Amino acid sequence: MKITFVINEETETWDVSPDDIFLDVLRHRSYFGVKRGCEDSSCGLCTVLLDGQAVNACTLLAAQVNGRSITTIEGLGTRDHLSPLQQAFVECGAVQCGYCTPAMILAAKALLDTCPEPTEADVRDTLSSVYCRCTGYVKPVEAVLRLMRQHQGT
Amino acid sequence: MILSHLIEYHCPTDLNEALRLLSRPDVATVPLGGGTSLVADGVPSAQAVVDLHNLGLDSIEAADDGLHIGAMVTLQNVIDNSHSRSLARGFLASVARRTTTRNVRNAATVGGTLVSANSVDELLLALLALDAQVVLADMSSKRCISLEDFVTHTPAHLSQATLILGVVIPPLPTGFGVGLERVARTPADRPIVAAAAFVAMEQGRCEAARLILGGVARLPVRLTAVETRLLGRVFNDELIAEAAETAKSIVVPFSDFRASSDYRREMAAVVCRRALQVAWNQVRSEDRG
């Protein structure tokens, strides 16, 4: 079957099978920002934005993406021009092994896009979608709050 | 592959078409909500899925007969929507927020919560305490049954060709209070034992009570024997303690790797007592205005 959808602002048509999981399809097509951590929506390392909302690609059938809009980490920033969230993570030292970073960035982006002034509790709630074994979440939370304060001009 | 027999994906825009697909005898067809259960756990025998995304089941509406929450409303919608977030003084929304992570809440649905019928799903316990009704549709009719009946009797007997359209939470009486208390390994973990309590009081006397206990049986249990003892009585600490002891005496919990039967029984009394206390405190603080 074919799915037609927007990925990182480009419309694409992909050939998929009804039983294809979107995480697998993405990685087969070299979108390596999504990671295979649990395959059952426990770890969040496969986070993508589906119509602007963070979801786990491992429990999404590729077929469900038809007609929808997807953002992956590959759609945010470039090597030379990091996105504001990526910049904040770097400046705060919020990246250690980096395995969870794409997922955290996407989850945080979804939060800030819909809620420009989140509380710390909101930020923690958002980032707790993603397992991180390195940082203890301290610097990632700080990075998101720092970016929010920059936007507020404080 | 956990859905290795899946050869068909459908995303109908018409409810009757969805029901027709689900009632085909020759193709094993299952409904698909958000995917967080179906795709995670897999249904090895499924040959076809019917995605419910385009059936208009994702709205929340306030009506005279109560709050209507569509089956495809996500858990995050329950938290964000202005009607559901204010229901029962924010009880439903705060419970929905505790159930799972943001990513999963963005996809998991209210209908999925009912179908999964997990004994310690706090949203399910809350809906039971609020006397939610379930709206079901099959090829010939639409009907409404209590969530209690749905959970205890229906899943195993549901023909594949029945869909949950949504739930209706009836209007709450004045003088109500609700509480949901739990014990778990950590604050963020799923409960080991949890109790949801609803009380309605009139001049200090209990006019209505619902007490739902999770984590002692495979499905949530409604403690009608405890409720009966509360009706018509004036609430005080002694009555609540009596209710908790009654709960403890009537449950026969299972044991598993999370907790022994003895632990579950002890905790049943604790969470029942706490939930009733919270509910009663709410009534009293509302009275004081």
Side-chain angles (χ1 to χ4, degrees):
Chain A
M1 60 180 291
K2 294 198 185 298
I3 55 172
T4 299
F5 65 109
V6 175
I7 179 163
N8 300 329
E9 298 180 359
E10 301 276 345
T11 302
E12 304 236 352
T13 298
W14 290 358
D15 243 315
V16 300
S17 295
D19 63 338
D20 278 339
I21 310 290
F22 195 52
L23 167 63
D24 297 337
V25 169
L26 282 173
R27 287 188 65 89
H28 285 153
R29 287 173 173 266
S30 303
Y31 289 85
F32 296 125
V34 284
K35 306 293 193 285
R36 186 187 310 282
C38 67
E39 298 183 329
D40 63 11
S41 260
S42 303
C43 76
L45 296 175
C46 62
T47 299
V48 296
L49 300 190
L50 175 65
D51 296 338
Q53 301 253 44
V55 294
N56 298 327
C58 68
T59 53
L60 200 58
L61 292 178
Q64 288 176 273
V65 167
N66 186 48
R68 315 286 289 272
S69 153
I70 294 284
T71 307
T72 69
I73 196 66
E74 290 83 1
L76 259 53
T78 63
R79 266 181 211 275
D80 298 319
H81 290 106
L82 298 179
S83 77
L85 261 171
Q86 290 168 324
Q87 190 64 35
F89 266 57
V90 167
E91 287 173 7
C92 284
V95 182
Q96 292 190 32
C97 79
Y99 202 71
C100 75
T101 305
M104 281 204 177
I105 300 267
L106 286 168
K109 175 178 162 57
L111 174 68
L112 290 175
D113 284 351
T114 53
C115 178
E117 297 192 358
T119 63
E120 184 174 327
D122 291 331
V123 175
R124 288 184 177 279
D125 178 55
T126 288
L127 293 181
S128 67
S129 285
V130 179
Y131 274 10
C132 173
R133 304 298 282 160
C134 297
T135 66
Y137 297 88
V138 175
K139 299 296 187 178
V141 170
E142 209 176 278
V144 179
L145 291 174
R146 178 187 164 111
L147 184 66
M148 177 194 71
R149 282 192 289 272
Q150 281 175 355
H151 284 162
Q152 286 173 335
T154 57
Chain B
M1 284 295 287
I2 48 179
L3 290 167
S4 53
H5 289 111
L6 199 64
I7 52 173
E8 293 177 20
Y9 167 88
H10 302 276
C11 194
T13 53
D14 176 66
L15 180 65
N16 286 323
E17 175 61 11
L19 289 165
R20 185 195 69 76
L21 288 163
L22 288 164
S23 58
R24 295 177 299 174
D26 52 330
V27 182
T29 310
V30 294
L32 172 65
T36 54
S37 283
L38 186 75
V39 183
D41 302 335
V43 180
S45 57
Q47 296 169 299
V49 289
V50 177
D51 190 331
L52 306 177
H53 184 72
N54 282 330
L55 297 175
L57 296 175
D58 57 350
S59 65
I60 299 180
E61 275 155 29
D64 289 337
D65 62 342
L67 188 67
H68 290 242
I69 303 178
M72 285 296 283
V73 167
T74 64
L75 303 187
Q76 192 60 37
N77 290 158
V78 172
I79 297 164
D80 293 336
N81 174 276
S82 57
H83 297 300
S84 52
R85 75 187 299 149
S86 61
L87 184 81
R89 307 180 197 113
F91 176 62
L92 197 66
S94 70
V95 168
R97 191 172 161 121
R98 288 213 300 259
T99 52
T100 183
T101 62
R102 175 80 196 235
N103 279 17
V104 178
R105 298 192 315 248
N106 282 338
T109 63
V110 171
T113 295
L114 268 52
V115 169
S116 299
N118 189 313
S119 175
V120 289
D121 185 315
E122 290 177 77
L123 183 61
L124 183 61
L125 297 176
L127 288 169
L128 285 163
L130 294 171
D131 196 25
Q133 307 294 306
V134 185
V135 183
L136 301 170
D138 60 33
M139 297 281 270
S140 55
S141 66
K142 219 164 91 163
R143 64 190 190 281
C144 199
I145 64 175
S146 74
L147 180 56
E148 198 187 332
D149 279 344
F150 177 84
V151 164
T152 29
H153 301 302
T154 309
H157 306 299
L158 255 189
S159 72
Q160 282 193 333
T162 303
L163 279 175
I164 302 169
L165 298 187
V167 296
V168 183
I169 300 173
L172 297 164
T174 51
F176 83 89
V178 284
L180 202 160
E181 293 292 311
R182 64 206 289 279
V183 289
R185 291 175 299 182
T186 72
D189 200 5
R190 65 162 54 188
I192 299 170
V193 177
F198 167 93
V199 297
M201 313 279 287
E202 182 76 42
Q203 290 169 343
R205 276 187 200 277
C206 181
E207 295 287 303
R210 278 188 295 278
L211 186 61
I212 318 292
L213 188 59
V216 295
R218 193 179 57 80
L219 295 170
V221 172
R222 183 167 173 192
L223 300 176
T224 41
V226 179
E227 294 169 8
T228 309
R229 290 179 100 95
L230 297 172
L231 291 175
R233 305 274 296 276
V234 171
F235 255 62
N236 53 39
D237 292 340
E238 289 74 33
L239 180 66
I240 291 179
E242 185 191 317
E245 282 308 301
T246 306
K248 184 169 155 182
S249 68
I250 61 177
V251 295
V252 186
F254 64 93
S255 282
D256 73 356
F257 70 92
R258 284 197 183 89
S260 66
S261 174
D262 282 345
Y263 180 81
R264 291 176 188 276
R265 188 182 303 108
E266 290 293 329
M267 291 305 108
V270 171
V271 295
C272 283
R273 176 173 51 73
R274 289 180 184 172
L276 286 168
Q277 191 73 50
V278 168
W280 182 40
N281 288 346
Q282 249 190 39
V283 176
R284 288 190 291 176
S285 65
E286 284 298 306
D287 279 347
R288 286 194 283 271

